[in-house]
Amino acid sequence: MTIAYITHSACRLHDMGGEHPESPARLAAIEDQLLVTGLEFAIRRYDAPPVTREQLHRVHDPGYVERLFALAPATGLHWLDADTAMNPHTLDAAVHAAGAVVYAVDLVMGNEADCAFCAVRPPGHHAGRAEAMGFCFFNNIAVGAAHALSRHGLRRIAIVDFDVHHGNGTGDIFRDDGRVLFCSSFQHPCYPFSGTDVPGAHQVKTPLAAGTGSRTFRDRISGEWLETLDAFRPELILVSAGFDGHWQDEVAELNLTEHDYGWVTRELGALARRHTGGRIISVLEGGYALPALARSVAAHLNALLD
Ligand SMILES: [Zn+2]
């Protein structure tokens, strides 16, 4: 079993300043944990290439892409919404974050790796076709899914999102695309206050009340996702892996533990073995309590290795 670990140095230079929770320290904490746990020796490292305009335009409005390139500041910060800002390195980071997922698809579909983890930031699942929001600029996982559909000719892809926030950008991008089944669990009500209202036959929404813990989370995922995913028979599973539902993470109020992230990953791994030849690609989204994030990513990677 080989896990491709795909990242890029630019992802640690994007910095929204001061006390912003989506900080470069997140990737540093994950890297430290790889050493502490010995996972460093179980992964194979790859440098993320930049995404191309053609790859971005499959899911993003070309005018929006050009606007982002034009807005990149030479110094300081340029704020796009109350909590999403570009520094001089942001665009480079975003371009490599999206490129990482495209590369992961090529590696996994080319049988060079069994599965992949993209340790990237900025995250992507809130980014819509023409909108940056919620720390996200390009929708990394959507760019990867579109690449798998377009370049590799896949007909059924499952995107599973267990970040504490609804993956509204991903949901919007694939709302009318029957080739993509999107399963998202999220605290509700909570930012971005979407999810329960979004129509779409190919979207499974699992809203969770504040305070939800391990038992309910596992029951809901088992009951609402697994049978639907089995029936869909995906050819590839993509995971929006956000770890901000951890009880120690203060951006929201779920009470999950790293063991829950290990559990859901093992369930997805079993699905992958049944349907995709084991192909599973995970992309970092949220997770802001650094020790909890690091332990959760380690549990996630260990489960992928199982
Ligand atoms: Zn989140």
Side-chain angles (χ1 to χ4, degrees), residues 125 163-165 244 286 288:
H125 72 155
D163 189 278
V164 81
H165 303 104
D244 39 7
Y288 306 100

Side-chain angles (χ1 to χ4, degrees), residues 161-166 184-191 194-196 205-222 224-225 245-246 252-256 260-261:
D161 185 331
F162 55 68
D163 189 278
V164 81
H165 303 104
H166 178 238
S184 181
S185 62
F186 49 92
Q187 182 177 324
H188 182 77
C190 187
Y191 183 88
S194 58
T196 52
K205 298 144 212 155
T206 302
L208 303 167
T212 294
S214 300
R215 171 66 68 84
T216 302
F217 174 75
R218 295 183 189 202
D219 285 351
R220 295 283 302 277
I221 297 298
S222 296
E224 297 174 28
W225 288 11
H246 196 284
E253 294 97 24
L254 295 192
N255 288 321
L256 305 183
D260 296 314
Y261 294 120

Side-chain angles (χ1 to χ4, degrees), residues 143-168:
V143 172
H147 182 71
L149 293 168
S150 168
R151 176 73 181 76
H152 296 278
L154 297 191
R155 289 161 301 177
R156 293 182 309 280
I157 295 177
I159 301 179
V160 169
D161 185 331
F162 55 68
D163 189 278
V164 81
H165 303 104
H166 178 238
N168 59 305

Side-chain angles (χ1 to χ4, degrees), residues 52 81 151 301:
T52 67
D81 73 14
R151 176 73 181 76
L301 294 179

